[in-house]
Amino acid sequence: MRDMGRFLQNFGEKTVKMIYFDKNRNTFYLEGKSFSYVFSVEEGYLHARHFGGRVGRDGLTWLNGAPAMAFSAMPPAGEGSTSLDVMPQEYASFGQGDYRTPSVLLEREDGQTASRFFYLSHEVGCTSDFGALPHARGGQTLKVTLKDVLSDVELDLFYTVWEDCDVLTRHAVIRNTGSEPVTICRAYSFCLDLPADRYETLCLHGHHCGERSPERTPLSHGTFRIESARGASSHQMNPFLALLRAGCGEETGECYGVELVYSGSFVLSAERSQTEGVRVQGGINALNFCWSLAAGEDFVTPEAALCYSKEGLGGLSRSLADFLRLHVISPKWAFAPRPVVLNSWEAVYFDFDEAKLLSLIDGAARTGADTFVLDDGWFGCRGDDTTSLGDWRVNLSKLKGGIAPLAARCRKHNMKFGLWFEPEMVSEKSELYRAHPDWAIGAPPRCACRNQYVLDFSRPEVVEYVYGQLAEILKTGDVAYVKWDMNRHLTEFWSKGLPAGRQGELAHRHILGVYTLARRLTEDFPEVLFEGCSGGGGRFDAGMLYYFPQIWTSDNTDAYARAKIQYGTSFAYPMSAMSCHISASPNHQTGRSTPFSSRAHIASLGATGFELNPAALSEEELEMAREHVRTYREMQPLVLQGDLYRLASPFEGDFAVLLLSKDKREGYLVGMCGLVEAGAYDRRLRLAGLREDFVYEIPALGIVARGDTLLHAGVLLPRLPDFGTFAWRIHGK
Ligand code: GLA
């Protein structure tokens, strides 16, 4: 084992504080802001000991349980005295008597699949080469290298901690040190074996126009699994999973959260075994995944963020929000005021020409918006969704002067101009498809979806071509904002660029290609703000947030529906990551009518903007729009930097959230009360997060009261018309 003293001196006090190795007990301690993560090397195996509240560096060997249960297989003579079937592990291998789900499954040339990984060495203060894979920035990293005693494969397990947040990230690197190729059938990012307890799971499921509904269920024996096999993280299931210990609530109790820094097909699972312990793990979905690792090559898994909270789900969400803002989202944008956008989609859809857009821009200026974004329909000969994806040249029959006059009109109003792209797609009716039919994933006849195919980004020449097309337009300097959409999922899963036998690499190689393009464009055009989108919030994940600081939360812009979607999204992502626009009433997706103020209040809980035609607004509504923008600019620091407290769930009735500054002096409380009921009773809303000893003023209610009064006694919810909302500023000192 390496002498840690040398490393600790090199990395100073911080390293000593955050990553510590006790060489007498062969035990690692990783210490974030308020948690400890402890594991040790025992008879060569990595034995997980603790993830939770801060503990002393005491070895924890007394927690070793019985070495086996009936029907447990023991390691071969001389290679361990505990069955892997009962040992809590850091990364589980296959075929060694641990019958829980393995973290890694490798197949060698002769067909053998068993592996047994032993500790080889470790290093503190190292970095990892992620290529274009998104990952958290900074922190202190521990690398533990293991060696498969049955094959020429090495495994690096990476752990990173930060002193300013309660998140630890993990990923693995698999290295073929032999002379024959090895097939990776599964390579998860992490394995977290939690001790016996009764747990519940919380996942964020959904569909197009109804993303990220929280669902909480008791964890039964067997395996609870959430996944996407769509080639994208998806509307249907988000790559986030929480495990709640008994008694965990919104602001009290213990829970864990895992989220993948990955945007492709994924799996996250929680397996309750015969020991009553729970194995949580996940990463790239093993379905249809298979990677041939040649001699000398390595394979890097996506990163997973693991979070522990002793302040319930609210604490978990705040820690994840801090982690994403501090270490994942680009530092250039994470805390920067966001543009207030007027987007053309729900205003005019495909139906526009230059004159119509110029007057839309004039209208946008009257709302107080500072950026106009031209959505779908400006390129090729696109007049509807049947053609032209892939032909990223201006549709001159619609826009005779191209983009320049639109950008110029924006400049005249002191506004910026933005443009919609769908870089990963091609229409069958397009010049690109005619020239390169084999650039689409799969072979004809392909499944159709919105009349388009997915371009094969596993092929570097395809990524290069699309880069060239987009860069050509961005080089003009007219475009300050890009909305990057993705409106269908993968099918067929076959690439002409890959040999038979390696097609299982396609989905992961494709998303690596997407990241490569995102990296090149964001690096080459650093002043452009890229907003992510996938039929609304179909790719709302930490991987996308690494490149795109905000994401269009949902194609459903109805205020009542959005309150739910944004509430659900807040379990795992910061408010500043959610793009939220005021749209028309009646709403285009639900047909529901809501007051302008309700739409404005709900749209203020994120990166705000408009998704409507200002020409359809009355003078009074236009004034409300301007007032919305003024108020938003004042309270935007709370969206960007503040903490979120969920006070009431729209899935159970009323909706209320409080955004609170870190110093707890400024707050913004927004709520909605659904449908009016005759004879309704008065309902109290208890606040959260306030300092007990501060005196707070809520001017809208004429209340001046101590924090503890508002926390424990609360206020009354106002009586409002159907779908009415309230938004109150709170000042404390
Ligand atoms: C997706 C997006 C919408 C809009 C349309 C355009 O559905 O989520 O906001 O851009 O595509 O086709």
Side-chain angles (χ1 to χ4, degrees):
M1 221 159 276
R2 297 170 93 150
D3 174 17
M4 283 301 301
R6 195 160 49 88
F7 292 105
L8 297 182
Q9 274 158 26
N10 288 349
F11 290 91
E13 255 179 64
K14 272 195 181 167
T15 308
V16 176
K17 193 176 155 212
M18 294 161 67
I19 298 177
Y20 174 75
F21 179 66
D22 177 346
K23 63 181 174 206
N24 297 319
R25 291 166 167 147
N26 288 340
T27 298
F28 295 93
Y29 301 86
L30 294 111
E31 294 160 357
K33 193 168 144 196
S34 56
F35 72 86
S36 294
Y37 186 103
V38 186
F39 63 97
S40 52
V41 184
E42 214 167 81
E43 298 181 307
Y45 301 103
L46 296 191
H47 186 132
R49 300 227 174 260
H50 171 75
F51 179 32
R54 187 59 78 74
V55 296
R57 295 168 181 172
D58 296 317
L60 298 174
T61 42
W62 61 84
L63 292 176
N64 284 356
M69 290 175 80
F71 282 81
S72 290
M74 300 304 284
E79 295 195 13
S81 54
T82 302
S83 170
L84 296 183
D85 210 17
V86 298
M87 186 191 285
Q89 294 180 63
E90 286 300 299
Y91 202 73
S93 48
F94 177 70
Q96 297 305 311
D98 180 354
Y99 294 101
R100 294 166 290 181
T101 311
S103 320
V104 60
L105 185 57
L106 306 170
E107 187 176 333
R108 310 201 284 279
E109 281 292 90
D110 63 2
Q112 290 201 60
T113 47
S115 52
R116 193 158 67 249
F117 284 98
F118 273 105
Y119 171 88
L120 195 64
S121 63
H122 70 266
E123 192 183 338
V124 177
C126 50
T127 54
S128 180
D129 182 4
F130 284 94
L133 258 183
H135 58 278
R137 301 167 169 92
Q140 288 290 310
T141 299
L142 164 71
K143 175 173 82 174
V144 181
T145 300
L146 310 175
K147 159 96 183 79
D148 181 9
V149 288
L150 305 176
S151 75
D152 293 320
V153 172
E154 284 182 6
L155 181 66
D156 294 331
L157 298 182
F158 286 87
Y159 301 78
T160 302
V161 279
W162 292 261
E163 60 180 344
D164 58 5
C165 71
D166 275 322
V167 167
L168 163 137
T169 58
R170 290 192 53 180
H171 75 284
V173 174
I174 297 167
R175 196 167 35 258
N176 182 351
T177 56
S179 51
E180 302 287 338
V182 171
T183 303
I184 305 175
C185 309
R186 165 180 312 184
Y188 284 164
S189 301
F190 74 102
C191 168
L192 176 67
D193 275 349
L194 295 171
D197 201 347
R198 296 220 167 258
Y199 294 90
E200 286 178 84
T201 57
L202 184 139
C203 68
L204 302 174
H205 70 96
H207 51 83
H208 177 240
C209 282
E211 296 89 339
R212 291 172 295 284
S213 295
E215 185 172 40
R216 192 171 159 164
T217 38
L219 180 64
S220 55
H221 290 94
T223 303
F224 175 79
R225 220 178 125 82
I226 60 169
E227 64 186 317
S228 161
R230 295 166 172 269
S233 49
S234 87
H235 308 80
Q236 288 72 13
M237 198 56 91
N238 194 264
F240 163 79
L241 179 65
L243 268 287
L244 290 59
R245 299 189 88 147
C248 177
E250 186 56 37
E251 292 298 332
T252 51
E254 286 182 292
C255 56
Y256 300 90
V258 181
E259 86 188 35
L260 297 174
V261 189
Y262 189 57
S263 316
S265 297
F266 75 91
V267 63
L268 283 169
S269 64
E271 180 177 9
R272 184 169 162 199
S273 70
Q274 59 173 348
T275 65
E276 300 296 331
V278 172
R279 171 166 292 175
V280 187
Q281 56 182 351
I284 296 172
N285 196 332
L287 177 70
N288 195 35
F289 169 81
C290 155
W291 191 279
S292 178
L293 194 66
E297 279 183 353
D298 57 23
F299 179 82
V300 183
T301 74
E303 200 171 40
L306 279 55
C307 183
Y308 163 76
S309 161
K310 53 177 182 286
E311 289 169 9
L313 288 161
L316 185 78
S317 305
R318 289 187 288 278
S319 292
L320 287 169
D322 281 344
F323 164 71
L324 292 168
R325 291 182 295 191
L326 289 166
H327 304 300
V328 174
I329 299 172
S330 160
K332 178 176 171 62
W333 300 108
F335 297 103
R338 304 296 167 77
V340 176
V341 162
L342 187 137
N343 186 54
S344 70
W345 182 240
E346 288 192 24
V348 292
Y349 295 101
F350 289 112
D351 180 18
F352 57 80
D353 56 19
E354 186 179 293
K356 204 163 174 179
L357 291 184
L358 290 174
S359 72
L360 193 55
I361 292 168
D362 294 344
R366 298 186 68 205
T367 64
D370 54 40
T371 302
F372 171 76
V373 177
L374 175 53
D375 206 285
D376 198 351
W378 59 268
F379 50 90
C381 50
R382 190 145 163 113
D384 56 31
D385 66 10
T386 60
T387 105
S388 299
L389 294 170
D391 299 340
W392 302 110
R393 285 178 301 279
V394 181
N395 180 344
L396 291 172
S397 64
K398 265 175 157 179
L399 303 175
K400 303 215 168 359
I403 277 165
L406 305 174
R409 182 64 68 95
C410 285
R411 276 194 295 276
K412 189 181 145 220
H413 291 297
N414 206 14
M415 290 167 65
K416 291 186 169 160
F417 177 73
L419 213 47
W420 178 96
F421 289 94
E422 205 179 345
E424 299 148 68
M425 296 292 155
V426 63
S427 305
E428 188 165 328
K429 281 195 226 155
S430 66
E431 285 173 30
L432 180 61
Y433 187 79
R434 275 191 292 278
H436 298 285
D438 62 325
W439 279 13
I441 287 177
R446 298 180 181 89
C447 292
C449 185
R450 213 191 186 206
N451 312 298
Q452 62 196 60
Y453 303 133
V454 185
L455 283 172
D456 182 354
F457 272 26
S458 73
R459 298 172 68 174
E461 66 273 31
V462 179
V463 176
E464 184 62 40
Y465 175 83
V466 177
Y467 171 82
Q469 291 232 314
L470 268 62
E472 195 64 29
I473 293 172
L474 299 184
K475 267 189 231 155
T476 61
D478 280 337
V479 181
Y481 186 106
V482 165
K483 179 175 172 187
W484 179 317
D485 210 340
M486 193 268 190
N487 278 321
R488 69 157 286 178
H489 293 143
L490 277 60
T491 50
E492 286 89 23
F493 297 90
W494 183 81
S495 165
K496 199 166 179 206
L498 287 168
R502 297 195 69 162
Q503 295 295 334
E505 299 178 17
L506 171 68
H508 183 58
R509 284 190 185 276
H510 174 76
I511 199 74
L512 291 179
V514 173
Y515 290 142
T516 302
L517 182 63
R519 178 161 82 168
R520 284 187 68 187
L521 288 169
T522 51
E523 277 178 9
D524 292 353
F525 302 96
E527 298 310 321
V528 176
L529 187 146
F530 285 77
E531 172 171 293
C533 177
S534 174
R539 209 161 53 178
F540 206 119
D541 58 66
M544 281 294 129
L545 286 175
Y546 180 81
Y547 289 110
F548 310 151
Q550 60 189 52
I551 297 173
W552 181 229
T553 317
S554 178
D555 273 349
N556 191 339
T557 56
D558 169 75
Y560 176 65
R562 265 304 187 102
K564 289 184 166 176
I565 295 165
Q566 294 168 205
Y567 182 93
T569 306
S570 79
F571 280 90
Y573 304 98
M575 307 306 276
S576 56
M578 301 181 212
S579 185
C580 307
H581 293 177
I582 301 174
S583 61
S585 179
N587 177 267
H588 293 191
Q589 294 80 41
T590 62
R592 184 179 288 123
S593 295
T594 53
F596 190 94
S597 56
S598 299
R599 286 172 274 146
H601 290 154
I602 300 300
S604 64
L605 295 170
T608 206
F610 299 93
E611 194 77 21
L612 47 69
N613 192 338
L617 296 182
S618 65
E619 276 308 316
E620 192 194 351
E621 285 174 322
L622 270 174
E623 183 43 40
M624 287 165 90
R626 284 190 289 272
E627 180 55 28
H628 165 69
V629 175
R630 276 193 294 272
T631 318
Y632 179 77
R633 291 211 167 104
E634 271 171 43
M635 54 72 67
Q636 193 182 22
L638 293 174
V639 172
L640 294 169
Q641 301 150 23
D643 280 329
L644 181 82
Y645 291 84
R646 286 181 295 265
L647 306 179
S649 166
F651 293 91
E652 288 160 16
D654 305 315
F655 161 74
V657 293
L658 171 66
L659 281 167
L660 196 60
S661 62
K662 292 275 180 195
D663 66 6
K664 298 186 183 284
R665 289 178 190 277
E666 292 297 322
Y668 181 68
L669 202 167
V670 175
M672 177 185 259
C673 299
L675 289 177
V676 175
E677 284 183 36
Y681 56 94
D682 283 319
R683 300 188 297 286
R684 281 191 191 189
L685 182 69
R686 292 205 282 167
L687 275 56
L690 304 180
R691 255 185 68 166
E692 301 206 333
D693 57 339
F694 274 11
V695 173
Y696 288 92
E697 186 187 1
I698 311 179
L701 300 182
I703 291 178
V704 177
R706 269 172 57 110
D708 47 11
T709 312
L710 297 170
L711 289 170
H712 306 310
V715 299
L716 283 185
L717 280 170
R719 290 173 181 259
L720 297 165
D722 284 354
F723 310 113
T725 50
F726 56 93
W728 303 326
R729 296 300 301 265
I730 299 183
H731 313 285
K733 55 182 186 242

